[in-house]
Coordinates of all heavy atoms in Angstrom, one line a residue:
E293 N 8.1 96.1 189.3 CA 8.9 95.7 190.5 C 9.7 96.8 191.1 O 9.8 97.0 192.3 CB 9.8 94.5 190.1 CG 9.5 93.2 190.7 CD 10.4 92.2 190.2 OE1 11.5 92.0 190.8 OE2 10.1 91.6 189.1
E294 N 10.4 97.6 190.2 CA 11.3 98.6 190.7 C 10.6 99.7 191.4 O 11.1 100.3 192.3 CB 12.2 99.1 189.6 CG 11.5 99.8 188.4 CD 11.1 98.8 187.3 OE1 10.8 97.6 187.6 OE2 11.0 99.2 186.1
E297 N 9.4 98.2 194.8 CA 10.5 98.2 195.8 C 10.6 99.6 196.5 O 10.8 99.6 197.7 CB 11.8 97.9 195.1 CG 12.1 96.4 194.9 CD 13.2 96.1 194.0 OE1 14.1 97.0 193.8 OE2 13.2 95.0 193.4
R737 N 21.8 106.5 187.9 CA 21.6 105.1 188.0 C 20.5 104.8 186.9 O 19.4 105.3 187.0 CB 21.1 104.6 189.4 CG 20.8 103.1 189.4 CD 21.1 102.6 190.8 NE 20.4 103.3 191.9 CZ 19.2 102.8 192.4 NH1 18.7 101.7 192.0 NH2 18.6 103.5 193.4
I739 N 17.9 102.6 186.0 CA 17.3 101.5 186.7 C 16.6 100.5 185.7 O 16.9 99.3 185.7 CB 16.2 102.1 187.7 CG1 16.9 103.0 188.7 CG2 15.5 100.9 188.4 CD1 15.9 103.8 189.6
R785 N 15.8 95.5 183.1 CA 16.3 96.1 184.4 C 17.8 96.1 184.4 O 18.4 95.0 184.3 CB 15.8 95.5 185.6 CG 14.3 95.8 185.8 CD 13.8 95.2 187.1 NE 14.2 96.0 188.2 CZ 13.9 95.7 189.5 NH1 13.2 94.6 189.7 NH2 14.4 96.4 190.4
W786 N 18.5 97.3 184.4 CA 19.9 97.3 184.4 C 20.5 97.6 185.8 O 21.4 97.0 186.2 CB 20.4 98.4 183.4 CG 20.1 98.1 182.0 CD1 20.8 97.3 181.1 CD2 19.0 98.7 181.2 NE1 20.2 97.3 179.9 CE2 19.1 98.1 179.9 CE3 17.9 99.5 181.5 CZ2 18.2 98.5 178.9 CZ3 17.0 99.9 180.5 CH2 17.2 99.3 179.2
N787 N 19.8 98.5 186.4 CA 20.3 98.9 187.7 C 21.8 99.2 187.8 O 22.5 98.6 188.7 CB 19.9 97.9 188.8 CG 19.7 98.5 190.2 OD1 19.3 99.6 190.3 ND2 20.2 97.8 191.2
E788 N 22.3 100.0 186.9 CA 23.7 100.2 186.9 C 24.0 101.7 187.1 O 23.3 102.6 186.6 CB 24.3 99.9 185.5 CG 24.6 98.4 185.4 CD 25.3 98.1 184.0 OE1 26.4 98.5 183.8 OE2 24.6 97.5 183.2
T789 N 25.0 102.0 187.9 CA 25.3 103.4 188.3 C 26.5 104.0 187.5 O 27.5 103.3 187.4 CB 25.5 103.5 189.8 OG1 24.3 103.0 190.4 CG2 25.7 104.9 190.2
Y832 N 14.2 110.0 191.6 CA 13.6 109.0 190.7 C 12.8 109.7 189.6 O 11.9 110.4 189.9 CB 12.7 108.0 191.5 CG 13.5 107.1 192.4 CD1 13.5 107.3 193.8 CD2 14.2 106.0 191.9 CE1 14.2 106.4 194.6 CE2 14.8 105.1 192.7 CZ 14.9 105.4 194.1 OH 15.6 104.5 194.9
Ligands
NAG1159 C1 20.0 98.4 192.5 O1 21.2 99.2 192.9 C2 21.0 99.8 194.1 C3 22.2 100.7 194.3 O2 23.3 100.2 193.7 C4 20.9 98.7 195.2 O3 20.7 99.3 196.4 C5 19.7 97.9 194.9 O4 19.6 96.8 195.8 C6 19.7 97.3 193.5 N1 18.5 96.7 193.2 C7 18.4 95.5 192.5 C8 17.1 95.0 192.3 O5 19.4 94.9 192.2

Side-chain angles (χ1 to χ4, degrees):
E293 247 177 89
E294 59 275 28
E297 278 166 23
R737 178 149 56 98
I739 302 172
R785 290 186 72 182
W786 295 279
N787 204 37
E788 278 182 70
T789 302
Y832 288 104

